[in-house]
Amino acid sequence: MNQLLVTFIVADIFITAAVLIYVFKRRRASGQIMVLPSAASVTIEGFRALAAFAKEQHERIGNYMQANWSGAPENLPTVLSRLLDAIEQDAKAKGITADRETLKMLLTTSLRSHKIGSGREVRDALAKVA
């Protein structure tokens, strides 16, 4: 009985390995595996620089929004667009290579932390920002 169990486990391992190999080959052939080149090229130093940059910009974002946004949701896309442009210029000046979507996430996180606007207002406004 014990040898039958061992044989069954070994056969199960071979069948599972064969199925996994088949699935991975098929996914690779059909191009469904997504490779993000920007994510692969991020280094620890780059991540630390981006985190430090986000920390620097947090207070600036709060002050900017307090000074430039009246609270009207229809004005939010314009204000966020100008703020995002300024943040992008600062990032380039400091040698931080971050795409616009990353900076939008940085901005969204800071706005949530400052409790500026509702989540939906911010998402809708940033969707309108190029």
Side-chain angles (χ1 to χ4, degrees), residues 62-125:
N63 292 338
Y64 185 90
M65 293 302 291
Q66 186 177 16
N68 293 299
W69 188 49
S70 64
E74 60 271 4
N75 297 338
L76 192 56
T78 306
V79 173
L80 291 181
S81 178
R82 286 186 298 201
L83 179 57
L84 195 58
D85 290 341
I87 291 172
E88 191 172 28
Q89 288 174 356
D90 275 0
K92 286 180 183 177
K94 293 187 180 198
I96 296 172
T97 54
D99 62 347
R100 196 143 171 104
E101 290 303 314
T102 302
L103 296 177
K104 282 183 180 182
M105 287 190 303
L106 179 148
L107 181 58
T108 302
T109 304
S110 183
L111 292 173
R112 282 185 190 154
S113 179
H114 284 296
K115 297 180 181 167
I116 296 174
S118 71
R120 184 177 191 167
E121 289 174 345
V122 171
R123 276 192 310 272
D124 291 345

Side-chain angles (χ1 to χ4, degrees), residues 12-29:
D12 187 41
I13 290 172
F14 280 120
I15 292 170
T16 303
V19 168
L20 287 174
I21 290 169
Y22 173 77
V23 168
F24 285 127
K25 282 184 178 180
R26 210 148 143 112
R27 287 183 81 191
R28 191 176 310 131

